[in-house]
C-alpha cells in the first residue's frame, strides 16, 4: 500500500494509490488469492483472505463486518476507502458508522468523541471535565470563546475559557515543574483575576531547592509579581535566620532592600564578635556585589572584616588607615568605637609607627567622646562585656589612653 510520505508530490501518491487499489479490487472480485494447495490450514483460509482483501480494497461491507467498534469502522473507511475525505464530510461518515454499530456510547470517552464528531462542543467540554480531561476542555473552551458568547462565571468573574484554564492549571499540581505550565495558562486569563491567581499558585509551591527558587523568582520577574518576590525572600531569609545562617539571611533581605531586618541581624553579628570574637559569619560579604553595600551596618561589617584580614596579613599600615577611616567617617556605630580602640592597641604599640600624630589625636578624641558622654554606659557596653568588673573596665580604658600617649610621644620624637 503506497505511503504518502514516500512521494515528493501528492499527485504522484494519488495515482500510485489508485493503481494499487485497482489491483487489490480485482483480486478481491475474482477471489484470486493464490493460496498454496500443498499447505493445510486449521482455519478457512479462503474466507480469511476474502476478509483481508475486502478491507484493503475499501469494501465498506467488509470493513463494517470486521470492525469491533465504531471507532475502528470510521478510521478504516477513511484509511482504505476515503483517504481524501474532506473535514466537512466526516460528520456524514460518522452518522453512517453510528447506524452500522449500535453500542457506541458505552463509555464516557466514547461520549466525548461522539460529541466532537457531532460538533457539539458544549457537551464535549462538560463531559471532559467529568473525565478529568482538563487539557482538552481548556483548549476546546478557548475555541468556543471565539465563536460563542458566554456569561461570566461567578466564581472567578471570567469567561468560560478562563474558567477552564484555571481548573486545568489547578489540576496540573505543583510537582515536576508543572507549576510553570500552570502559570502560563493563568497568565492568559483576564487582568482582573490573573495576578491574584498567580500569587496564590506560587505561594503554595514548596521552596525546597535553590534551583526551584531561582526558577520561581525568574517567573515572578517575567510576570511582574514584585510582591511575591518580596514574600519569597522574606520566607527564605527567616528560614536561614532561624537556622543561624545570618549571612545567608542578610543576602535574601538585601535582595528586597529590607533595611530593618538587615540592621537587626548585623547587630546580632556584632554582638557575636564582641562575645566570642567570631567573624566567620561575615564570609557572605565576599560573595555579594560591593556596590550593594548601601546599608551602613553592612558597610561597616565589610570594612571591619577587611581590617582584620589586613592585620592578619601583617599589612599594618593599611589596617591602621582603614581603622581611622571607620572612626572618622562615622561608618562605625559609636557603640562599637570602644572595640575598635582596643583593636588599635597592638598597632599603637608596634615597633613601626602606624599612626601619625594627627591620627593619634583623632583616636584620643573618639575615646574622650564616648567616655565623657552622658550616654557613656551605652557606648561602653560592648567593651564592658570583655571584662568582669567596673574596675577592669577602667583599667582597660587606661591601657588605651597610655598606648595613645606613648604613640604621640614617639611621633613627636621623630619630628625633633
Amino acid at each position: 500500500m503506497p505511503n504518502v510520505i514516500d512521494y515528493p508530490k501528492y499527485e504522484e501518491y494519488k495515482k500510485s494509490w489508485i493503481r494499487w487499489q485497482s489491483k487489490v479490487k480485482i483480486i478481491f472480485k475474482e477471489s484470486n488469492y493464490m493460496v498454496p494447495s500443498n499447505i493445510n490450514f486449521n482455519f478457512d483460509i479462503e474466507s480469511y483472505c476474502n476478509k483481508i482483501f475486502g478491507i484493503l480494497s475499501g469494501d465498506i461491507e467488509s470493513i463494517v463486518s470486521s470492525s469491533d467498534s465504531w471507532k475502528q469502522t470510521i478510521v478504516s473507511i477513511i484509511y482504505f476507502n476515503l483517504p481524501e475525505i474532506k473535514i466537512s464530510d466526516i460528520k456524514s461518515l460518522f452518522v453512517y458508522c453510528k447506524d452500522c454499530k449500535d453500542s457506541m456510547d458505552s463509555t464516557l470517552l466514547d461520549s466525548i468523541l461522539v460529541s466532537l464528531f457531532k460538533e457539539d462542543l458544549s457537551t464535549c467540554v462538560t463531559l471532559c471535565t467529568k473525565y478529568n480531561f482538563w487539557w482538552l476542555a481548556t483548549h476546546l473552551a478557548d475555541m468556543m470563546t471565539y465563536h460563542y458568547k458566554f456569561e461570566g462565571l461567578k466564581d472567578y468573574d471570567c469567561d468560560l475559557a478562563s474558567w477552564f484554564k484555571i481548573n486545568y492549571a489547578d489540576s496540573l499540581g505543583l510537582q515536576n515543574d508543572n507549576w510553570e505550565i500552570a502559570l502560563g495558562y493563568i497568565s492568559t486569563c483576564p487582568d482582573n483575576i490573573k495576578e491574584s491567581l498567580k500569587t496564590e499558585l506560587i505561594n503554595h509551591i514548596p521552596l525546597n531547592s535553590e534551583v526551584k527558587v531561582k526558577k520561581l523568582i525568574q517567573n515572578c520577574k517575567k510576570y511582574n509579581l514584585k510582591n511575591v518576590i518580596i514574600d519569597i525572600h522574606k520566607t527564605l531569609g527567616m528560614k536561614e535566620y532561624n537556622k543561624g545562617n545570618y549571612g545567608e539571611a542578610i543576602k535574601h533581605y538585601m535582595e528586597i532592600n529590607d533595611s530593618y531586618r538587615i540592621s537587626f541581624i548585623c547587630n546580632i553579628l556584632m554582638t557575636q564578635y564582641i562575645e566570642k570574637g567570631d567573624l566567620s559569619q561575615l564570609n557572605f560579604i565576599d560573595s555579594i556585589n560591593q556596590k550593594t553595600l548601601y546599608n551602613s551596618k553592612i558597610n561597616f561589617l565589610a570594612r571591619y572584616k577587611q581590617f582584620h584580614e589586613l592585620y592578619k596579613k601583617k599589612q599594618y599600615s593599611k589596617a591602621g588607615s582603614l581603622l581611622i577611616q571607620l572612626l572618622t567617617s562615622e561608618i562605625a556605630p559609636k557603640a562599637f568605637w570602644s572595640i575598635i580602640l582596643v583593636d588599635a592597641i597592638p598597632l599603637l604599640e608596634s615597633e613601626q609607627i602606624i599612626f601619625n600624630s594627627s591620627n593619634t589625636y583623632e583616636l584620643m578624641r573618639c575615646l574622650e567622646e564616648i567616655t565623657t558622654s552622658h550616654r557613656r554606659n551605652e557606648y561602653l557596653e560592648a567593651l564592658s562585656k570583655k571584662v568582669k568588673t567596673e574596675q577592669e573596665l577602667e583599667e582597660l580604658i587606661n591601657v588605651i589612653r597610655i598606648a595613645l600617649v606613648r604613640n604621640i610621644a614617639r611621633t613627636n620624637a621623630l619630628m625633633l
Side-chain angles (χ1 to χ4, degrees):
M1 183 175 181
N3 192 332
V4 68
I5 64 173
D6 296 330
Y7 295 84
K9 294 182 180 180
Y10 181 76
E11 290 300 322
E12 293 181 14
Y13 158 74
K14 184 177 178 181
K15 291 176 182 179
S16 180
W17 191 88
I18 291 173
R19 287 196 300 269
W20 171 82
Q21 194 180 56
S22 297
K23 292 178 182 178
V24 174
K25 283 182 177 180
I26 292 171
I27 296 172
F28 173 62
K29 187 177 181 180
E30 297 178 355
S31 300
N32 184 19
Y33 306 127
M34 294 183 289
V35 178
S37 58
N38 59 340
I39 298 177
N40 293 321
F41 296 94
N42 58 359
F43 57 91
D44 187 352
I45 187 63
E46 290 287 339
S47 177
Y48 186 75
C49 288
N50 190 65
K51 182 184 291 188
I52 291 175
F53 277 87
I55 294 171
L56 291 175
S57 66
D59 180 65
I60 300 297
E61 186 179 341
S62 298
I63 291 174
V64 171
S65 63
S66 302
S67 299
D68 295 327
S69 68
W70 66 273
K71 295 186 282 289
Q72 284 186 3
T73 304
I74 196 170
V75 171
S76 299
I77 290 175
I78 291 174
Y79 193 67
F80 295 108
N81 188 281
L82 301 168
E84 293 186 284
I85 190 172
K86 295 178 181 179
I87 294 176
S88 57
D89 295 331
I90 291 179
K91 186 175 181 180
S92 300
L93 177 60
F94 163 75
V95 172
Y96 172 79
C97 294
K98 183 177 183 297
D99 293 336
C100 293
K101 295 289 181 181
D102 295 328
S103 58
M104 296 179 57
D105 303 344
S106 56
T107 68
L108 184 57
L109 180 57
D110 284 332
S111 299
I112 292 173
L113 293 172
V114 167
S115 62
L116 276 174
F117 280 112
K118 288 182 176 179
E119 298 181 9
D120 185 359
L121 296 181
S122 182
T123 300
C124 179
V125 168
T126 303
L127 293 171
C128 284
T129 60
K130 294 179 181 178
Y131 206 71
N132 205 24
F133 275 0
W134 283 107
W135 62 271
L136 181 56
T138 298
H139 291 283
L140 283 173
D142 200 37
M143 292 168 56
M144 292 167 68
T145 301
Y146 287 103
H147 294 88
Y148 303 95
K149 186 177 181 181
F150 291 93
E151 294 182 1
L153 301 178
K154 293 180 180 179
D155 290 347
Y156 294 105
D157 187 25
C158 62
D159 56 34
L160 184 63
S162 296
W163 187 83
F164 278 111
K165 289 174 187 175
I166 293 165
N167 281 277
Y168 177 43
D170 186 57
S171 73
L172 286 171
L174 304 177
Q175 303 301 319
N176 302 320
D177 291 337
N178 282 345
W179 56 267
E180 285 191 84
I181 302 172
L183 272 177
Y185 277 99
I186 290 175
S187 66
T188 64
C189 293
D191 292 339
N192 63 317
I193 61 170
K194 65 182 178 183
E195 184 168 350
S196 60
L197 289 171
K198 285 186 285 192
T199 300
E200 183 180 353
L201 172 66
I202 292 175
N203 284 340
H204 283 84
I205 298 172
L207 306 174
N208 51 12
S209 76
E210 189 175 342
V211 174
K212 183 182 286 186
V213 169
K214 286 182 178 179
K215 272 190 178 181
L216 268 174
I217 292 174
Q218 286 173 359
N219 277 276
C220 288
K221 290 178 179 178
K222 177 181 177 181
Y223 297 115
N224 198 31
L225 300 174
K226 295 179 182 178
N227 290 334
V228 180
I229 294 175
I230 292 173
D231 289 341
I232 290 173
H233 282 296
K234 278 185 177 180
T235 300
L236 293 173
M238 183 57 67
K239 185 178 180 180
E240 295 295 341
Y241 170 80
N242 290 333
K243 286 165 38 177
N245 298 332
Y246 299 129
E248 292 301 314
I250 286 176
K251 284 164 71 173
H252 283 293
Y253 291 134
M254 288 182 73
E255 289 289 337
I256 55 176
N257 299 335
D258 192 336
S259 298
Y260 172 77
R261 286 180 172 82
I262 292 171
S263 297
F264 179 80
I265 297 176
C266 285
N267 287 336
I268 294 176
L269 292 174
M270 285 190 278
T271 301
Q272 272 191 351
Y273 172 71
I274 292 167
E275 295 177 350
K276 303 177 182 178
D278 182 18
L279 286 173
S280 61
Q281 289 266 19
L282 299 185
N283 291 335
F284 77 94
I285 292 174
D286 298 330
S287 63
I288 62 177
N289 188 341
Q290 297 297 305
K291 292 181 180 179
T292 63
L293 299 179
Y294 60 89
N295 184 280
S296 59
K297 290 187 177 179
I298 284 282
N299 196 0
F300 163 67
L301 287 175
R303 295 193 180 208
Y304 190 64
K305 177 175 180 289
Q306 186 182 4
F307 162 75
H308 279 278
E309 289 172 349
L310 291 169
Y311 188 87
K312 190 175 182 180
K313 295 176 183 177
K314 298 183 179 181
Q315 298 181 20
Y316 301 130
S317 295
K318 289 183 178 180
S321 297
L322 183 55
L323 188 145
I324 294 295
Q325 287 177 23
L326 288 173
L327 292 170
T328 56
S329 64
E330 297 190 355
I331 292 175
K334 281 190 179 180
F336 211 80
W337 280 14
S338 60
I339 301 298
I340 294 175
L341 289 168
V342 170
D343 290 332
I345 293 174
L347 298 176
L348 290 166
E349 298 288 351
S350 67
E351 293 183 7
Q352 176 189 357
I353 296 178
I354 305 299
F355 301 110
N356 58 30
S357 58
S358 176
N359 290 336
T360 308
Y361 282 122
E362 185 61 32
L363 293 175
M364 285 180 169
R365 179 193 69 79
C366 292
L367 178 62
E368 292 307 310
E369 186 170 334
I370 60 175
T371 54
T372 59
S373 171
H374 66 284
R375 299 171 65 181
R376 168 191 166 95
N377 290 339
E378 177 187 341
Y379 294 152
L380 294 180
E381 182 181 359
L383 193 60
S384 64
K385 291 180 179 180
K386 290 185 170 291
V387 296
K388 296 179 179 179
T389 64
E390 184 69 25
Q391 182 180 350
E392 289 181 356
L393 176 62
E394 290 300 327
E395 289 174 357
L396 185 53
I397 292 172
N398 283 332
V399 169
I400 299 172
R401 282 200 178 100
I402 292 169
L404 289 167
V405 170
R406 285 177 179 172
N407 197 71
I408 285 289
R410 293 167 66 195
T411 55
N412 289 338
L414 286 177
M415 296 172 63
L416 296 176

